[in-house]
Amino acid sequence: EIETEKLPLKSGSRWHSTVIVSLGSGFDTRCISVRNKGNSEDFLWIRVDRECVQKLATENCIERNCQNCFFLNGDVLARSTWTEIKRTLIKQQSLSPEKKKQTLIWLAEGLMEYLNESQQNKMLEHITNVQRELESYYEGELLLALLSKAIDNPIRTH
């Protein structure tokens, strides 16, 4: 079962013009950098990762007074996680004034090199399906880091 955890100020409870779904988010702290540049009001970061990672990431965001993140615990390859991502995006859109379209950024930078080809295809299929279902609410972009095969050995052995 997926457990959804929010920071104390309920970032997911108000509308944001840009929603970033960070898949395998790990300890990414860009949500804090955006806040430090004064742009935090427009961004909601939906951070999707395993519960053991999210626990530390949540503590880090609380400690740094980040108010942009919504934490969703789950396996990025599991259908149940994608059901929860879609539900969260629909809830966020329901907060939209005048039902404005939001920008949706799918961020999978640090994840792809850990997945085999079949897993990469499965994740891209999930993104495509959710984006297609929500296209009347969100304009989507996908950001991936494509690394050379030379990086496989060091990453796979640490």
Side-chain angles (χ1 to χ4, degrees):
E1 173 147 331
I2 296 174
E3 179 183 326
T4 306
E5 183 174 353
K6 296 181 213 175
L7 288 176
L9 293 178
K10 301 179 187 169
S11 299
S13 65
R14 68 171 201 73
W15 186 78
H16 300 265
S17 63
T18 302
V19 177
I20 299 165
V21 179
S22 183
L23 302 165
S25 57
F27 303 110
D28 186 353
T29 59
R30 284 177 287 184
C31 53
I32 296 165
S33 333
V34 169
R35 184 201 67 204
N36 292 339
K37 291 183 172 127
N39 300 338
S40 66
E41 293 301 310
D42 288 338
F43 289 89
L44 172 64
W45 293 69
I46 300 174
R47 299 170 60 128
V48 183
D49 213 326
R50 295 165 304 178
E51 185 174 3
C52 60
V53 175
Q54 297 284 50
K55 184 176 187 302
L56 295 172
T58 304
E59 290 170 6
N60 185 39
C61 279
I62 290 171
E63 183 179 299
R64 294 171 184 243
N65 197 30
C66 173
Q67 299 172 17
N68 299 359
C69 292
F70 183 89
F71 290 86
L72 196 148
N73 297 334
D75 177 347
V76 295
L77 297 175
R79 186 176 311 237
S80 57
T81 301
W82 287 90
T83 299
E84 188 67 14
I85 290 170
K86 186 170 89 172
R87 189 181 71 73
T88 302
L89 290 169
I90 290 169
K91 179 181 177 191
Q92 175 58 206
Q93 179 52 222
S94 73
L95 301 169
S96 170
E98 303 169 12
K99 300 298 177 212
K100 292 181 181 178
K101 236 181 186 185
Q102 291 169 279
T103 300
L104 176 59
I105 300 171
W106 298 97
L107 189 60
E109 290 176 294
L111 178 62
M112 295 302 277
E113 65 264 24
Y114 290 101
L115 304 177
N116 64 38
E117 185 177 349
S118 170
Q119 292 170 321
Q120 289 174 356
N121 288 336
K122 184 176 183 178
M123 190 186 69
L124 292 171
E125 184 180 317
H126 284 306
I127 292 170
T128 301
N129 290 339
V130 170
Q131 185 65 50
R132 187 178 299 128
E133 288 182 51
L134 301 177
E135 69 185 347
S136 60
Y137 306 113
Y138 290 98
E139 296 175 4
E141 299 289 335
L142 173 61
L143 300 177
L144 302 169
L146 300 176
L147 305 173
S148 80
K149 292 205 178 272
I151 201 161
D152 278 348
N153 290 334
I155 286 181
R156 299 277 183 216
T157 58
H158 79 287

